[in-house]
Amino acid sequence: MTRLPPVPYEEWDAEALKPLTGGRRVPPSNALGLLVRHPRLAKAFLTFNTHLLMRSSLPPKTRELVVLRVAWRRRCGYEWAQHVLMGRQAGVTEEELAEVRAGVGTLLNRAVDELDAASTLSDTTYEELAKELDEHQLMDLVFTVGAYGLLAMAFNTFELELDEGLDDGLDEGGFA
Protein backbone atom coordinates (compact mmCIF):
# COMPACT_ATOMS: atom_id res chain seq x y z
CA MET A 1 0.00 0.00 0.00
CA THR A 2 1.32 3.40 -0.95
CA ARG A 3 2.12 5.90 1.81
CA LEU A 4 0.86 8.87 -0.17
CA PRO A 5 -1.73 7.83 -2.74
CA PRO A 6 -1.85 9.59 -6.10
CA VAL A 7 -4.64 12.08 -6.69
CA PRO A 8 -7.41 10.39 -8.69
CA TYR A 9 -7.16 11.19 -12.40
CA GLU A 10 -10.51 13.01 -12.44
CA GLU A 11 -9.18 15.47 -9.84
CA TRP A 12 -5.86 16.36 -11.50
CA ASP A 13 -4.86 20.02 -11.59
CA ALA A 14 -4.24 20.63 -15.30
CA GLU A 15 -2.36 23.86 -14.57
CA ALA A 16 0.20 22.03 -12.42
CA LEU A 17 0.89 19.61 -15.28
CA LYS A 18 1.04 22.27 -18.01
CA PRO A 19 4.88 22.36 -18.20
CA LEU A 20 4.78 18.71 -19.24
CA THR A 21 1.52 18.52 -21.14
CA GLY A 22 1.26 21.95 -22.75
CA GLY A 23 -2.40 21.80 -21.74
CA ARG A 24 -3.05 18.49 -23.54
CA ARG A 25 -4.81 15.73 -21.67
CA VAL A 26 -2.41 12.93 -20.73
CA PRO A 27 -3.18 9.37 -19.67
CA PRO A 28 -3.26 8.60 -15.96
CA SER A 29 -0.02 7.71 -14.23
CA ASN A 30 0.70 7.27 -10.56
CA ALA A 31 3.80 9.48 -10.84
CA LEU A 32 1.84 12.45 -12.14
CA GLY A 33 -0.95 11.72 -9.69
CA LEU A 34 1.57 11.88 -6.85
CA LEU A 35 3.08 15.15 -8.08
CA VAL A 36 -0.36 16.75 -8.46
CA ARG A 37 -0.79 16.39 -4.68
CA HIS A 38 1.46 19.46 -4.48
CA PRO A 39 0.54 21.63 -7.51
CA ARG A 40 3.22 24.31 -7.01
CA LEU A 41 5.93 21.68 -6.61
CA ALA A 42 4.59 19.75 -9.62
CA LYS A 43 4.68 22.82 -11.84
CA ALA A 44 8.22 23.76 -10.79
CA PHE A 45 9.63 20.24 -10.99
CA LEU A 46 7.91 19.36 -14.27
CA THR A 47 9.35 22.46 -15.92
CA PHE A 48 12.84 21.13 -15.13
CA ASN A 49 12.04 17.48 -15.76
CA THR A 50 10.37 18.23 -19.10
CA HIS A 51 13.64 19.70 -20.32
CA LEU A 52 15.49 16.53 -19.32
CA LEU A 53 12.87 14.25 -20.81
CA MET A 54 11.96 16.10 -24.01
CA ARG A 55 14.54 18.78 -24.76
CA SER A 56 17.77 17.32 -23.43
CA SER A 57 20.82 17.52 -25.63
CA LEU A 58 21.50 13.86 -24.84
CA PRO A 59 20.32 11.35 -27.43
CA PRO A 60 17.16 9.61 -26.16
CA LYS A 61 18.87 6.22 -25.91
CA THR A 62 21.71 7.68 -23.84
CA ARG A 63 19.24 9.48 -21.57
CA GLU A 64 17.28 6.28 -21.01
CA LEU A 65 20.38 4.23 -20.22
CA VAL A 66 21.33 6.85 -17.64
CA VAL A 67 17.86 6.90 -16.08
CA LEU A 68 17.74 3.10 -16.01
CA ARG A 69 21.07 2.89 -14.21
CA VAL A 70 19.85 5.43 -11.64
CA ALA A 71 16.62 3.44 -11.18
CA TRP A 72 18.56 0.21 -10.77
CA ARG A 73 21.04 1.67 -8.28
CA ARG A 74 18.25 3.32 -6.28
CA ARG A 75 16.14 0.16 -6.33
CA CYS A 76 13.18 2.07 -7.74
CA GLY A 77 10.75 -0.35 -9.34
CA TYR A 78 8.40 2.39 -10.57
CA GLU A 79 11.14 4.31 -12.36
CA TRP A 80 12.65 1.11 -13.72
CA ALA A 81 9.34 -0.15 -15.16
CA GLN A 82 8.50 3.16 -16.83
CA HIS A 83 11.94 3.65 -18.32
CA VAL A 84 12.37 0.09 -19.56
CA LEU A 85 9.40 0.86 -21.82
CA MET A 86 10.79 4.25 -22.81
CA GLY A 87 14.25 2.81 -23.27
CA ARG A 88 13.03 0.11 -25.61
CA GLN A 89 11.25 2.80 -27.65
CA ALA A 90 14.57 4.67 -27.81
CA GLY A 91 16.43 1.57 -29.00
CA VAL A 92 17.81 0.12 -25.76
CA THR A 93 18.46 -3.58 -26.28
CA GLU A 94 18.03 -6.50 -23.89
CA GLU A 95 21.82 -6.81 -23.79
CA GLU A 96 22.10 -3.16 -22.70
CA LEU A 97 19.44 -3.69 -20.04
CA ALA A 98 21.49 -6.62 -18.73
CA GLU A 99 24.59 -4.38 -18.65
CA VAL A 100 22.67 -1.76 -16.68
CA ARG A 101 21.52 -4.41 -14.20
CA ALA A 102 24.99 -5.88 -13.86
CA GLY A 103 26.65 -2.47 -13.65
CA VAL A 104 29.30 -3.57 -16.12
CA GLY A 105 31.95 -1.02 -16.85
CA THR A 106 30.38 0.91 -19.69
CA LEU A 107 31.28 4.58 -19.57
CA LEU A 108 27.67 5.60 -18.87
CA ASN A 109 27.27 3.07 -16.06
CA ARG A 110 30.54 4.20 -14.54
CA ALA A 111 29.51 7.86 -14.78
CA VAL A 112 26.13 7.24 -13.13
CA ASP A 113 27.72 5.13 -10.41
CA GLU A 114 30.32 7.81 -9.62
CA LEU A 115 27.78 10.63 -9.61
CA ASP A 116 25.36 8.66 -7.46
CA ALA A 117 28.00 7.53 -4.98
CA ALA A 118 30.22 10.60 -4.71
CA SER A 119 28.29 13.48 -6.33
CA THR A 120 31.19 14.00 -8.72
CA LEU A 121 33.07 12.36 -11.56
CA SER A 122 36.65 11.17 -11.41
CA ASP A 123 39.05 13.00 -13.72
CA THR A 124 39.37 9.88 -15.87
CA THR A 125 35.62 9.44 -16.32
CA TYR A 126 35.09 13.15 -16.97
CA GLU A 127 37.84 13.19 -19.61
CA GLU A 128 36.39 10.14 -21.35
CA LEU A 129 32.90 11.64 -21.33
CA ALA A 130 34.20 14.98 -22.61
CA LYS A 131 35.60 13.19 -25.67
CA GLU A 132 32.09 11.95 -26.52
CA LEU A 133 29.78 14.67 -25.19
CA ASP A 134 29.71 18.43 -25.65
CA GLU A 135 29.33 20.75 -22.66
CA HIS A 136 25.52 20.86 -22.87
CA GLN A 137 25.38 17.08 -23.01
CA LEU A 138 27.73 16.83 -20.02
CA MET A 139 25.46 19.17 -18.07
CA ASP A 140 22.31 17.31 -19.14
CA LEU A 141 23.92 14.04 -18.07
CA VAL A 142 24.74 15.31 -14.57
CA PHE A 143 21.32 16.93 -14.12
CA THR A 144 19.55 13.80 -15.40
CA VAL A 145 21.31 11.63 -12.82
CA GLY A 146 20.37 14.11 -10.10
CA ALA A 147 16.75 14.56 -11.14
CA TYR A 148 16.03 10.87 -11.54
CA GLY A 149 17.81 10.12 -8.26
CA LEU A 150 15.42 12.61 -6.65
CA LEU A 151 12.41 11.00 -8.32
CA ALA A 152 13.56 7.55 -7.22
CA MET A 153 13.87 8.86 -3.66
CA ALA A 154 10.33 10.26 -3.77
CA PHE A 155 8.80 7.20 -5.43
CA ASN A 156 10.52 4.84 -2.98
CA THR A 157 9.69 6.95 0.08
CA PHE A 158 6.01 7.27 -0.80
CA GLU A 159 5.92 3.62 -1.97
CA LEU A 160 4.44 4.57 -5.32
CA GLU A 161 2.65 1.62 -6.88
CA LEU A 162 3.26 0.60 -10.47
CA ASP A 163 0.78 1.79 -13.05
CA GLU A 164 -1.72 -0.83 -14.11
CA GLY A 165 -0.29 -3.36 -16.54
CA LEU A 166 3.36 -2.65 -15.75
CA ASP A 167 5.88 -5.10 -14.37
CA ASP A 168 8.98 -3.81 -12.65
CA GLY A 169 10.99 -6.71 -14.09
CA LEU A 170 12.85 -7.07 -10.85
CA ASP A 171 12.49 -10.83 -10.90
CA GLU A 172 14.99 -10.81 -13.75
CA GLY A 173 18.11 -10.44 -11.68
CA GLY A 174 16.63 -8.66 -8.71
CA PHE A 175 18.10 -5.68 -6.92
CA ALA A 176 21.05 -7.65 -5.57
mmCIF file of all heavy atoms in Angstrom, residues 40-70:
data_model
loop_
_atom_site.group_PDB
_atom_site.id
_atom_site.type_symbol
_atom_site.label_atom_id
_atom_site.label_comp_id
_atom_site.label_asym_id
_atom_site.label_seq_id
_atom_site.Cartn_x
_atom_site.Cartn_y
_atom_site.Cartn_z
ATOM 1 N N ARG A 40 2.101 23.379 -6.780
ATOM 2 C CA ARG A 40 3.219 24.310 -7.008
ATOM 3 C C ARG A 40 4.524 23.557 -7.224
ATOM 4 O O ARG A 40 5.324 23.905 -8.093
ATOM 5 C CB ARG A 40 3.334 25.286 -5.838
ATOM 6 C CG ARG A 40 2.209 26.317 -5.848
ATOM 7 C CD ARG A 40 2.233 27.261 -4.684
ATOM 8 N NE ARG A 40 3.526 27.897 -4.500
ATOM 9 C CZ ARG A 40 3.908 28.483 -3.375
ATOM 10 N NH1 ARG A 40 3.093 28.510 -2.333
ATOM 11 N NH2 ARG A 40 5.094 29.045 -3.282
ATOM 12 N N LEU A 41 4.739 22.508 -6.442
ATOM 13 C CA LEU A 41 5.935 21.684 -6.614
ATOM 14 C C LEU A 41 5.892 20.987 -7.968
ATOM 15 O O LEU A 41 6.899 20.940 -8.687
ATOM 16 C CB LEU A 41 6.044 20.653 -5.488
ATOM 17 C CG LEU A 41 7.174 19.634 -5.619
ATOM 18 C CD1 LEU A 41 8.524 20.324 -5.528
ATOM 19 C CD2 LEU A 41 7.036 18.570 -4.541
ATOM 20 N N ALA A 42 4.731 20.444 -8.332
ATOM 21 C CA ALA A 42 4.594 19.753 -9.618
ATOM 22 C C ALA A 42 4.956 20.677 -10.767
ATOM 23 O O ALA A 42 5.724 20.305 -11.660
ATOM 24 C CB ALA A 42 3.165 19.228 -9.785
ATOM 25 N N LYS A 43 4.423 21.869 -10.755
ATOM 26 C CA LYS A 43 4.683 22.819 -11.844
ATOM 27 C C LYS A 43 6.171 23.162 -11.935
ATOM 28 O O LYS A 43 6.754 23.160 -13.018
ATOM 29 C CB LYS A 43 3.842 24.076 -11.638
ATOM 30 C CG LYS A 43 3.837 24.997 -12.816
ATOM 31 C CD LYS A 43 2.827 26.114 -12.627
ATOM 32 C CE LYS A 43 2.727 26.955 -13.880
ATOM 33 N NZ LYS A 43 1.725 28.008 -13.744
ATOM 34 N N ALA A 44 6.790 23.421 -10.801
ATOM 35 C CA ALA A 44 8.215 23.755 -10.793
ATOM 36 C C ALA A 44 9.070 22.567 -11.245
ATOM 37 O O ALA A 44 9.947 22.703 -12.102
ATOM 38 C CB ALA A 44 8.632 24.213 -9.396
ATOM 39 N N PHE A 45 8.813 21.406 -10.657
ATOM 40 C CA PHE A 45 9.633 20.238 -10.992
ATOM 41 C C PHE A 45 9.425 19.811 -12.438
ATOM 42 O O PHE A 45 10.379 19.482 -13.140
ATOM 43 C CB PHE A 45 9.351 19.064 -10.044
ATOM 44 C CG PHE A 45 10.222 17.890 -10.368
ATOM 45 C CD1 PHE A 45 11.548 17.867 -9.977
ATOM 46 C CD2 PHE A 45 9.744 16.833 -11.123
ATOM 47 C CE1 PHE A 45 12.384 16.817 -10.317
ATOM 48 C CE2 PHE A 45 10.557 15.763 -11.459
ATOM 49 C CZ PHE A 45 11.883 15.761 -11.051
ATOM 50 N N LEU A 46 8.185 19.816 -12.903
ATOM 51 C CA LEU A 46 7.911 19.361 -14.267
ATOM 52 C C LEU A 46 8.501 20.289 -15.323
ATOM 53 O O LEU A 46 8.840 19.841 -16.416
ATOM 54 C CB LEU A 46 6.412 19.161 -14.482
ATOM 55 C CG LEU A 46 5.838 17.943 -13.751
ATOM 56 C CD1 LEU A 46 4.321 17.926 -13.870
ATOM 57 C CD2 LEU A 46 6.449 16.647 -14.254
ATOM 58 N N THR A 47 8.665 21.558 -14.991
ATOM 59 C CA THR A 47 9.352 22.464 -15.920
ATOM 60 C C THR A 47 10.778 21.974 -16.142
ATOM 61 O O THR A 47 11.251 21.870 -17.277
ATOM 62 C CB THR A 47 9.340 23.906 -15.380
ATOM 63 O OG1 THR A 47 7.988 24.338 -15.273
ATOM 64 C CG2 THR A 47 10.119 24.847 -16.278
ATOM 65 N N PHE A 48 11.469 21.645 -15.065
ATOM 66 C CA PHE A 48 12.835 21.129 -15.130
ATOM 67 C C PHE A 48 12.873 19.743 -15.771
ATOM 68 O O PHE A 48 13.631 19.488 -16.711
ATOM 69 C CB PHE A 48 13.393 21.099 -13.705
ATOM 70 C CG PHE A 48 14.715 20.405 -13.550
ATOM 71 C CD1 PHE A 48 15.823 20.772 -14.287
ATOM 72 C CD2 PHE A 48 14.855 19.385 -12.614
ATOM 73 C CE1 PHE A 48 17.050 20.134 -14.112
ATOM 74 C CE2 PHE A 48 16.065 18.750 -12.428
ATOM 75 C CZ PHE A 48 17.165 19.121 -13.181
ATOM 76 N N ASN A 49 12.024 18.851 -15.284
ATOM 77 C CA ASN A 49 12.042 17.479 -15.765
ATOM 78 C C ASN A 49 11.646 17.370 -17.239
ATOM 79 O O ASN A 49 12.153 16.501 -17.956
ATOM 80 C CB ASN A 49 11.145 16.608 -14.891
ATOM 81 C CG ASN A 49 11.326 15.145 -15.174
ATOM 82 O OD1 ASN A 49 10.424 14.489 -15.671
ATOM 83 N ND2 ASN A 49 12.497 14.619 -14.860
ATOM 84 N N THR A 50 10.762 18.252 -17.690
ATOM 85 C CA THR A 50 10.371 18.235 -19.095
ATOM 86 C C THR A 50 11.555 18.550 -19.991
ATOM 87 O O THR A 50 11.703 17.963 -21.062
ATOM 88 C CB THR A 50 9.201 19.211 -19.341
ATOM 89 O OG1 THR A 50 8.085 18.761 -18.571
ATOM 90 C CG2 THR A 50 8.805 19.263 -20.810
ATOM 91 N N HIS A 51 12.422 19.449 -19.539
ATOM 92 C CA HIS A 51 13.643 19.699 -20.317
ATOM 93 C C HIS A 51 14.447 18.406 -20.443
ATOM 94 O O HIS A 51 14.866 18.024 -21.532
ATOM 95 C CB HIS A 51 14.527 20.786 -19.689
ATOM 96 C CG HIS A 51 15.909 20.770 -20.256
ATOM 97 N ND1 HIS A 51 16.206 21.305 -21.483
ATOM 98 C CD2 HIS A 51 17.054 20.202 -19.808
ATOM 99 C CE1 HIS A 51 17.486 21.090 -21.760
ATOM 100 N NE2 HIS A 51 18.015 20.411 -20.758
ATOM 101 N N LEU A 52 14.665 17.739 -19.311
ATOM 102 C CA LEU A 52 15.491 16.530 -19.322
ATOM 103 C C LEU A 52 14.863 15.427 -20.167
ATOM 104 O O LEU A 52 15.565 14.690 -20.850
ATOM 105 C CB LEU A 52 15.712 16.032 -17.894
ATOM 106 C CG LEU A 52 16.474 16.984 -16.977
ATOM 107 C CD1 LEU A 52 16.502 16.422 -15.559
ATOM 108 C CD2 LEU A 52 17.874 17.264 -17.495
ATOM 109 N N LEU A 53 13.561 15.336 -20.130
ATOM 110 C CA LEU A 53 12.868 14.248 -20.814
ATOM 111 C C LEU A 53 12.620 14.532 -22.293
ATOM 112 O O LEU A 53 12.667 13.625 -23.119
ATOM 113 C CB LEU A 53 11.539 13.980 -20.106
ATOM 114 C CG LEU A 53 10.797 12.715 -20.468
ATOM 115 C CD1 LEU A 53 11.640 11.483 -20.212
ATOM 116 C CD2 LEU A 53 9.508 12.632 -19.675
ATOM 117 N N MET A 54 12.395 15.800 -22.645
ATOM 118 C CA MET A 54 11.965 16.104 -24.013
ATOM 119 C C MET A 54 12.881 17.051 -24.774
ATOM 120 O O MET A 54 12.806 17.118 -25.990
ATOM 121 C CB MET A 54 10.553 16.681 -23.986
ATOM 122 C CG MET A 54 9.543 15.727 -23.430
ATOM 123 S SD MET A 54 7.936 16.499 -23.413
ATOM 124 C CE MET A 54 6.952 15.163 -22.792
ATOM 125 N N ARG A 55 13.708 17.799 -24.067
ATOM 126 C CA ARG A 55 14.543 18.777 -24.758
ATOM 127 C C ARG A 55 16.031 18.626 -24.452
ATOM 128 O O ARG A 55 16.834 19.475 -24.811
ATOM 129 C CB ARG A 55 14.081 20.188 -24.397
ATOM 130 C CG ARG A 55 12.682 20.506 -24.867
ATOM 131 C CD ARG A 55 12.318 21.954 -24.727
ATOM 132 N NE ARG A 55 11.463 22.385 -23.652
ATOM 133 C CZ ARG A 55 10.268 21.925 -23.333
ATOM 134 N NH1 ARG A 55 9.763 20.911 -23.975
ATOM 135 N NH2 ARG A 55 9.561 22.440 -22.362
ATOM 136 N N SER A 56 16.382 17.568 -23.784
ATOM 137 C CA SER A 56 17.771 17.323 -23.428
ATOM 138 C C SER A 56 18.635 17.230 -24.676
ATOM 139 O O SER A 56 18.194 16.769 -25.730
ATOM 140 C CB SER A 56 17.870 16.008 -22.646
ATOM 141 O OG SER A 56 19.215 15.646 -22.423
ATOM 142 N N SER A 57 19.863 17.657 -24.525
ATOM 143 C CA SER A 57 20.815 17.522 -25.635
ATOM 144 C C SER A 57 21.357 16.097 -25.747
ATOM 145 O O SER A 57 22.018 15.759 -26.732
ATOM 146 C CB SER A 57 21.976 18.518 -25.451
ATOM 147 O OG SER A 57 22.647 18.278 -24.230
ATOM 148 N N LEU A 58 21.079 15.264 -24.762
ATOM 149 C CA LEU A 58 21.497 13.862 -24.839
ATOM 150 C C LEU A 58 20.612 13.114 -25.827
ATOM 151 O O LEU A 58 19.396 13.339 -25.868
ATOM 152 C CB LEU A 58 21.360 13.175 -23.478
ATOM 153 C CG LEU A 58 22.302 13.615 -22.372
ATOM 154 C CD1 LEU A 58 21.914 12.958 -21.058
ATOM 155 C CD2 LEU A 58 23.747 13.305 -22.727
ATOM 156 N N PRO A 59 21.178 12.206 -26.596
ATOM 157 C CA PRO A 59 20.325 11.350 -27.425
ATOM 158 C C PRO A 59 19.368 10.563 -26.529
ATOM 159 O O PRO A 59 19.733 10.171 -25.404
ATOM 160 C CB PRO A 59 21.321 10.411 -28.120
ATOM 161 C CG PRO A 59 22.644 11.100 -28.042
ATOM 162 C CD PRO A 59 22.606 11.912 -26.769
ATOM 163 N N PRO A 60 18.137 10.322 -26.992
ATOM 164 C CA PRO A 60 17.157 9.610 -26.161
ATOM 165 C C PRO A 60 17.666 8.278 -25.598
ATOM 166 O O PRO A 60 17.418 7.972 -24.431
ATOM 167 C CB PRO A 60 15.970 9.416 -27.094
ATOM 168 C CG PRO A 60 16.071 10.567 -28.047
ATOM 169 C CD PRO A 60 17.551 10.768 -28.259
ATOM 170 N N LYS A 61 18.373 7.513 -26.394
ATOM 171 C CA LYS A 61 18.869 6.223 -25.908
ATOM 172 C C LYS A 61 19.864 6.422 -24.763
ATOM 173 O O LYS A 61 19.808 5.717 -23.757
ATOM 174 C CB LYS A 61 19.512 5.440 -27.046
ATOM 175 C CG LYS A 61 20.015 4.067 -26.643
ATOM 176 C CD LYS A 61 20.560 3.310 -27.830
ATOM 177 C CE LYS A 61 21.076 1.953 -27.429
ATOM 178 N NZ LYS A 61 21.572 1.194 -28.593
ATOM 179 N N THR A 62 20.741 7.382 -24.900
ATOM 180 C CA THR A 62 21.708 7.678 -23.837
ATOM 181 C C THR A 62 20.989 8.108 -22.571
ATOM 182 O O THR A 62 21.283 7.630 -21.470
ATOM 183 C CB THR A 62 22.687 8.778 -24.294
ATOM 184 O OG1 THR A 62 23.378 8.335 -25.462
ATOM 185 C CG2 THR A 62 23.679 9.143 -23.203
ATOM 186 N N ARG A 63 20.018 9.019 -22.719
ATOM 187 C CA ARG A 63 19.242 9.482 -21.566
ATOM 188 C C ARG A 63 18.582 8.304 -20.856
ATOM 189 O O ARG A 63 18.632 8.193 -19.633
ATOM 190 C CB ARG A 63 18.169 10.481 -22.019
ATOM 191 C CG ARG A 63 17.285 10.990 -20.881
ATOM 192 C CD ARG A 63 15.996 11.611 -21.372
ATOM 193 N NE ARG A 63 15.164 10.627 -22.047
ATOM 194 C CZ ARG A 63 14.620 10.800 -23.244
ATOM 195 N NH1 ARG A 63 14.802 11.896 -23.933
ATOM 196 N NH2 ARG A 63 13.877 9.832 -23.782
ATOM 197 N N GLU A 64 17.977 7.407 -21.625
ATOM 198 C CA GLU A 64 17.275 6.279 -21.011
ATOM 199 C C GLU A 64 18.231 5.323 -20.319
ATOM 200 O O GLU A 64 17.922 4.801 -19.247
ATOM 201 C CB GLU A 64 16.408 5.565 -22.039
ATOM 202 C CG GLU A 64 15.214 6.387 -22.489
ATOM 203 C CD GLU A 64 14.356 6.886 -21.327
ATOM 204 O OE1 GLU A 64 14.074 6.100 -20.384
ATOM 205 O OE2 GLU A 64 13.970 8.066 -21.360
ATOM 206 N N LEU A 65 19.399 5.087 -20.890
ATOM 207 C CA LEU A 65 20.377 4.227 -20.217
ATOM 208 C C LEU A 65 20.820 4.842 -18.890
ATOM 209 O O LEU A 65 20.993 4.131 -17.893
ATOM 210 C CB LEU A 65 21.580 3.974 -21.133
ATOM 211 C CG LEU A 65 21.316 3.029 -22.301
ATOM 212 C CD1 LEU A 65 22.449 3.084 -23.312
ATOM 213 C CD2 LEU A 65 21.093 1.601 -21.802
ATOM 214 N N VAL A 66 20.970 6.157 -18.870
ATOM 215 C CA VAL A 66 21.334 6.851 -17.642
ATOM 216 C C VAL A 66 20.218 6.714 -16.601
ATOM 217 O O VAL A 66 20.464 6.361 -15.447
ATOM 218 C CB VAL A 66 21.654 8.337 -17.942
ATOM 219 C CG1 VAL A 66 21.721 9.161 -16.662
ATOM 220 C CG2 VAL A 66 22.950 8.451 -18.729
ATOM 221 N N VAL A 67 18.989 6.989 -17.003
ATOM 222 C CA VAL A 67 17.858 6.897 -16.075
ATOM 223 C C VAL A 67 17.715 5.469 -15.557
ATOM 224 O O VAL A 67 17.482 5.249 -14.359
ATOM 225 C CB VAL A 67 16.556 7.382 -16.740
ATOM 226 C CG1 VAL A 67 15.350 7.109 -15.840
ATOM 227 C CG2 VAL A 67 16.640 8.865 -17.086
ATOM 228 N N LEU A 68 17.866 4.504 -16.432
ATOM 229 C CA LEU A 68 17.737 3.104 -16.009
ATOM 230 C C LEU A 68 18.806 2.731 -14.985
ATOM 231 O O LEU A 68 18.516 2.027 -14.008
ATOM 232 C CB LEU A 68 17.799 2.178 -17.225
ATOM 233 C CG LEU A 68 16.529 2.176 -18.063
ATOM 234 C CD1 LEU A 68 16.798 1.587 -19.447
ATOM 235 C CD2 LEU A 68 15.411 1.425 -17.355
ATOM 236 N N ARG A 69 20.018 3.205 -15.191
ATOM 237 C CA ARG A 69 21.072 2.886 -14.209
ATOM 238 C C ARG A 69 20.764 3.534 -12.863
ATOM 239 O O ARG A 69 20.961 2.928 -11.808
ATOM 240 C CB ARG A 69 22.447 3.312 -14.729
ATOM 241 C CG ARG A 69 23.588 2.919 -13.798
ATOM 242 C CD ARG A 69 23.748 1.413 -13.656
ATOM 243 N NE ARG A 69 24.755 1.111 -12.641
ATOM 244 C CZ ARG A 69 24.789 0.009 -11.930
ATOM 245 N NH1 ARG A 69 23.912 -0.952 -12.144
ATOM 246 N NH2 ARG A 69 25.726 -0.169 -11.033
ATOM 247 N N VAL A 70 20.254 4.774 -12.889
ATOM 248 C CA VAL A 70 19.848 5.426 -11.639
ATOM 249 C C VAL A 70 18.753 4.599 -10.964
ATOM 250 O O VAL A 70 18.823 4.316 -9.762
ATOM 251 C CB VAL A 70 19.362 6.869 -11.888
ATOM 252 C CG1 VAL A 70 18.714 7.452 -10.632
ATOM 253 C CG2 VAL A 70 20.495 7.755 -12.376
#
